[in-house]
Amino acid sequence: MNIFKRFSKCLNTIVAALICVIIGLAIGFLILTFLSWRSLAAGADPYTFRDVIVQAWKDGFLRLIEGGTYPIFNNATASYRKMRTELSLLPPLLMCGLSVGFAFKTGLFNIGAAGQYTLGAFGALLFALVLKWPWYLCLIAAMLFGAVWGAIPGFFKAYFNINEVITAIMFNWIGLYGVNTLMYNEKLTSLPSMMYNAKTTKTFTLKAINSDAIIPPLASDEYIKAHKGDTLAEFLQSPVTYAVVIAVVIAIILLIVLNKTVFGYELKACGFSRTAAKYAGINEKRNVILSMAISGALAGLGAGLYYLTDTLQWNPQESTALPSMGFDGISVALLASSNPIGTIFSALLIAHIDTGGGLFSAKVFPPEVADIVSGVIIYLCAFMMLFKNIIAKPFVFLGQLKAKLTGGNKEGSEKK
Amino acid sequence: MTGSMAMMVFLLISKYTLLYAVVLMLVALGGMFSERSGVINIALEGIMVIGGLVGVIVSASLMNHVNPYISMILSILASALSGLIYSSLLAFASINLRANQTIGGTALNILATAIAMVVAKRFNGSQSAKIDYNNSAYLINIKTSEGTLTINVFLILGIVLLILSYVVLYKTRLGLRLRACGEHPQAADSVGINVHKMRYIGVLVSGLLGGIGGFAYIIPAVSNWNFEYGVTGMGFLALAVMIFGQWKPFRIFFAAVLFSIFKSIANIYDSIDFLKDLGLNKEMYNMLPFIVSMIVLTLTSKKSRAPKAEGIPYDKGMR
């Protein structure tokens, strides 16, 4: 594949993803306009069409697209706090996206990222709060817990030929109920006394129990003191931690593993055709389990990276809802066509939209409008191939033109 | 005394088992129609949420305005229709655009919860997604000497739809054509059957049944529902019921009853003494149906009778 082709293929994917995003945002704007109209119609004051649009734009859409940067642009006192919150969402989203994307690359659909994320959160908090280990060891625990939960659907797929989607969904719920029981039910184990804070109905903060388990922020306290007010110092404070760096480094490692190693090649081969891989002497059963275990480890690590920043505590009482992070991972992976580097950018985008949804004036616009936008984006991604083909047409034409001009001696290589 | 106690427990178990069995059966029958026509419908959970949402909103809006029985009929129709419309999104993506059916279905699941939250909050005009309604018209109390057994109208509707499903699938030309499209669409096309049309029918019927199922799950059990919780994984359980039922109507019925016995234990464990003494909490019992379905899937995986062409978009050029 020559450079020109590779570049045009890459560009094609990016443009297709952008089309998905733009249509998603447009639908979001329509919903906001409708909600804005309903809220104005409910009020006593007369209103015009202009008012409806202005409210939808100013109180809704603008906040959605400006995300964490909204307070910087629109407040008299520029605050970077929201921006930091947005960046702290990047590691878990990116890891869940990598988890789902890695499974896609090996021909599996890991819808179980939510369950593996749950187990990862449990692993991290168990080692942090009960065993009081430092953060890097807690992260490894989170990975292991997630890996085990990911390996289970792989095992059922390899040995019983049960679709990994069904198994993963079942184990999402088993994991959620299991984890919450362990954290919450005092009769069963003594864990709740060490993990669960009855006053806040959440797990204890790491700060109170074991501050070693908090992943350190990117800038040290001395640096922040010395550079008070600097944009960079503002950015690198808690909760923007080394978690961001770890997540990005892992994305790069995955790119190398998938594209430049024999191991990655074998995993991908199983994805293209299990029977062909078996024929070629690859242990396809082992590889399916291994792919799912790695995918699970990534989701588990994502939970570790998030809960060990101590911005949010696990709430075992919300036991009827799976963490949305795992499902957001699916949008992140799809939007990036499972490319690890692309995943970084799509994770940033989803974090941006999610933060923006939280900034709506909640009386008029529920924050879930942001979820609708990402839901629409996944729906569109399901037939992204269609967009790709449409966009590719001019490129194919250019390719043919080039072939004609150069004498058309490479007819065979043009096909693909 | 213990005799009447046992009777009471039996009535309680029957109440919840019947409640859940109808839901699981309706939704699994829906899944069956879709998959027998060749489209994997993983969006059942989302379709249930939408059906439940629309049904609840219609019945909450009509409360105290019209006769409760008319309101009931309108609400059920609304839930069926909304499920049908929502499932057309899956049909469009997977049949016309040949998208990956699993991904399309997942997107619809995620979208449904978000839509339900936004709509429920707007309906309330507050920041809570909890909607109140009156469900007394749906309940039928059968008095016995030991207590009352509460059943709901969906039980009757469910049995009718079960028989209807069987007849349509096995005794009509439509059913035969539908099944052919799920087994070998190329062959079906070669004898002049419109594969796209058949698959559309399959998916839309699944939306219709899924919508009613979602409404049947929410309305008879409690008098308010918080849409933050969606339908708590019932759509996915229904998928397991469908597989355990081997994509056949009456087997699905038995599978649904079996699953709902386990599901109902979570609701009543604290009124049964020996279960209460075990010291397990609600979460443990909530896990039960999912664990059972995993065991069942493992046991039945070897002789699975899945429609051969499910999940593969039909491409005329492949003939």
Side-chain angles (χ1 to χ4, degrees):
Chain A
M1 208 192 285
N2 60 32
I3 289 284
F4 172 73
K5 256 194 177 168
R6 187 171 257 190
F7 175 73
S8 73
K9 201 182 154 201
C10 182
L11 193 71
N12 189 350
T13 311
I14 294 171
V15 173
L18 283 178
I19 290 176
C20 290
V21 172
I22 289 166
I23 298 177
L25 284 173
I27 291 176
F29 183 65
L30 284 179
I31 295 168
L32 289 172
T33 311
F34 178 77
L35 291 172
S36 161
W37 169 56
R38 291 311 307 159
S39 83
L40 285 173
D45 303 328
Y47 61 94
T48 60
F49 180 68
R50 207 184 114 83
D51 294 338
V52 173
I53 297 291
V54 165
Q55 177 172 276
W57 178 263
K58 256 187 74 187
D59 297 346
F61 197 68
L62 197 64
R63 299 178 194 211
L64 189 69
I65 51 172
E66 286 189 348
T69 62
Y70 177 78
I72 303 171
F73 289 136
N74 296 283
N75 282 12
T77 52
S79 158
Y80 289 86
R81 200 171 53 85
K82 279 282 168 204
M83 199 59 221
R84 290 199 294 267
T85 319
E86 183 181 316
L87 267 179
S88 76
L89 282 173
L90 175 69
L93 270 175
L94 174 54
M95 297 311 296
C96 286
L98 289 174
S99 163
V100 179
F102 184 80
F104 273 139
K105 284 269 179 192
T106 58
L108 299 159
F109 183 22
N110 181 16
I111 200 175
Q116 293 139 18
Y117 185 84
T118 308
L119 263 285
F122 178 68
L125 292 173
L126 182 74
F127 280 72
L129 293 172
V130 179
L131 301 175
K132 303 199 170 50
W133 285 13
W135 60 272
Y136 40 88
L137 293 177
C138 295
L139 283 181
I140 292 172
M143 274 177 90
L144 287 177
F145 273 65
V148 169
W149 219 245
I152 293 170
F155 170 79
F156 277 102
K157 170 135 185 142
Y159 287 97
F160 295 99
N161 200 23
I162 303 175
N163 193 322
E164 76 279 7
V165 175
I166 301 284
T167 319
I169 288 169
M170 299 298 161
F171 275 89
N172 274 350
W173 292 97
I174 295 172
L176 179 75
Y177 290 132
V179 162
N180 286 338
T181 300
L182 284 173
M183 281 194 189
Y184 185 53
N185 188 357
E186 289 160 343
K187 288 180 197 157
L188 216 59
T189 57
S190 58
L191 288 178
S193 62
M194 285 177 277
M195 294 179 85
Y196 179 67
N197 186 348
K199 273 183 198 156
T200 56
T201 72
K202 287 174 183 166
T203 51
F204 286 109
T205 57
L206 297 176
K207 211 170 157 187
I209 305 285
N210 174 16
S211 55
D212 282 348
I214 301 175
I215 305 172
L218 277 170
S220 63
D221 288 344
E222 292 86 51
Y223 180 85
I224 293 166
K225 256 184 206 151
H227 298 80
K228 209 168 168 40
D230 277 15
T231 315
L232 192 65
E234 286 284 341
F235 258 114
L236 301 182
Q237 285 175 33
S238 169
V240 178
T241 59
Y242 278 100
V244 179
V245 180
I246 294 171
V248 171
V249 167
I250 286 180
I252 295 166
I253 292 175
L254 275 184
L255 183 80
I256 296 166
V257 168
L258 275 171
N259 294 331
K260 303 284 171 201
T261 65
V262 176
F263 176 63
Y265 182 80
E266 286 195 357
L267 291 185
K268 279 198 293 186
C270 287
F272 285 123
S273 167
R274 273 177 77 186
T275 41
K278 192 180 176 186
Y279 181 71
I282 297 170
N283 185 342
E284 98 285 5
K285 283 195 168 64
R286 189 201 68 159
N287 277 5
V288 167
I289 300 175
L290 213 53
S291 295
M292 283 303 288
I294 293 171
S295 180
L298 293 169
L301 180 63
L305 291 175
Y306 193 48
Y307 284 95
L308 294 177
T309 50
D310 211 25
T311 43
L312 196 79
Q313 283 73 42
W314 187 265
N315 185 348
Q317 277 191 318
E318 281 182 1
S319 56
T320 36
L322 284 161
S324 61
M325 204 66 84
F327 298 109
D328 287 342
I330 300 173
S331 359
V332 169
L334 284 173
L335 204 53
S337 299
S338 308
N339 180 304
I341 302 303
T343 310
I344 300 174
F345 296 100
S346 61
L348 263 177
L349 181 92
I350 298 289
H352 195 69
I353 292 174
D354 267 1
T355 316
L359 289 166
F360 288 155
S361 48
K363 267 186 187 165
V364 189
F365 307 116
E368 285 80 15
V369 175
D371 295 340
I372 295 188
V373 171
S374 46
V376 171
I377 292 174
I378 315 181
Y379 179 72
L380 295 172
C381 283
F383 43 87
M384 199 146 113
M385 286 304 289
L386 195 80
F387 295 136
K388 273 190 194 171
N389 290 339
I390 295 169
I391 305 161
K393 268 180 190 155
F395 285 107
V396 172
F397 176 71
L398 274 179
Q400 283 167 347
L401 200 70
K402 200 178 139 222
K404 254 183 202 162
L405 291 176
T406 51
N409 52 355
K410 280 190 280 178
E411 290 263 295
S413 67
E414 287 298 330
K415 277 186 186 168
K416 162 72 187 155
Chain B
M1 188 62 202
T2 45
S4 69
M5 186 70 196
M7 188 65 197
M8 203 197 83
V9 168
F10 174 74
L11 287 176
L12 212 55
I13 289 194
S14 314
K15 176 189 161 184
Y16 283 107
T17 303
L18 291 176
L19 177 74
Y20 294 136
V22 171
V23 175
L24 286 175
M25 184 194 74
L26 280 174
V27 181
L29 283 176
M32 174 192 79
F33 273 104
S34 174
E35 301 218 344
R36 291 301 288 264
S37 79
V39 179
I40 291 180
N41 191 347
I42 213 165
L44 285 171
E45 176 95 357
I47 292 169
M48 282 180 79
V49 171
I50 296 293
L53 173 79
V54 173
V56 161
I57 283 183
V58 169
S59 84
S61 326
L62 295 178
M63 191 164 63
N64 306 329
H65 291 303
V66 296
N67 180 309
Y69 293 98
I70 295 173
S71 146
M72 178 175 84
I73 291 165
L74 289 177
S75 306
I76 294 174
L77 285 177
S79 67
L81 191 67
S82 59
L84 187 139
I85 293 169
Y86 197 62
S87 70
S88 69
L89 287 174
L90 178 72
F92 178 67
S94 54
I95 299 169
N96 295 89
L97 301 179
R98 290 188 224 136
N100 182 323
Q101 297 170 2
T102 321
I103 295 172
T106 307
L108 291 182
N109 284 337
I110 297 170
L111 203 54
T113 321
I115 292 173
M117 289 288 283
V118 171
V119 173
K121 282 181 177 179
R122 268 308 92 203
F123 180 75
N124 281 338
S126 71
Q127 285 167 47
S128 150
K130 200 183 235 173
I131 298 180
D132 295 303
Y133 45 81
N134 184 355
N135 61 0
S136 55
Y138 296 81
L139 305 176
I140 303 161
N141 289 315
I142 301 170
K143 289 212 164 55
T144 66
S145 57
E146 307 292 342
T148 47
L149 173 63
T150 311
I151 60 168
N152 60 66
V153 288
F154 293 105
L155 188 64
I156 302 156
L157 186 65
I159 290 168
V160 172
L161 286 173
L162 170 68
I163 295 166
L164 204 64
S165 300
Y166 174 79
V167 172
V168 167
L169 199 62
Y170 288 104
K171 305 288 172 199
T172 65
R173 205 158 58 178
L174 175 76
L176 183 66
R177 289 179 172 180
L178 191 104
R179 283 182 288 143
C181 293
E183 294 294 332
H184 202 309
Q186 287 82 7
D189 196 10
S190 73
V191 291
I193 298 172
N194 187 340
V195 177
H196 282 191
K197 189 176 138 196
M198 284 300 139
R199 289 194 165 177
Y200 252 97
I201 292 173
V203 176
L204 294 183
V205 169
S206 85
L208 187 119
L209 293 173
I212 299 178
F215 189 49
Y217 178 57
I218 291 173
I219 204 147
V222 282
S223 64
N224 59 62
W225 189 262
N226 190 341
F227 279 94
E228 217 172 307
Y229 301 142
V231 289
T232 62
M234 282 298 268
F236 297 125
L237 269 185
L239 276 179
V241 166
M242 178 193 71
I243 296 172
F244 184 39
Q246 294 289 304
W247 295 266
K248 292 190 175 81
F250 287 108
R251 284 203 190 190
I252 285 176
F253 170 72
F254 288 116
V257 172
L258 181 77
F259 271 68
S260 37
I261 291 173
F262 288 104
K263 173 99 182 144
S264 58
I265 291 176
N267 286 61
I268 55 155
Y269 74 96
D270 50 358
S271 29
I272 303 173
D273 286 338
F274 77 93
L275 287 179
K276 203 175 172 183
D277 294 340
L278 287 178
L280 305 176
N281 60 349
K282 201 174 166 71
E283 263 82 37
M284 304 287 284
Y285 293 105
N286 277 334
M287 275 161 73
L288 210 58
F290 295 102
I291 294 175
V292 170
S293 52
M294 264 336 290
I295 295 170
V296 158
L297 287 176
T298 313
L299 294 178
T300 52
S301 65
K302 290 282 179 230
K303 46 174 188 174
S304 178
R305 290 269 176 282
K308 283 210 178 59
E310 70 168 6
I312 309 161
Y314 178 60
D315 187 351
K316 269 197 173 172
M318 298 279 283
R319 218 163 79 192

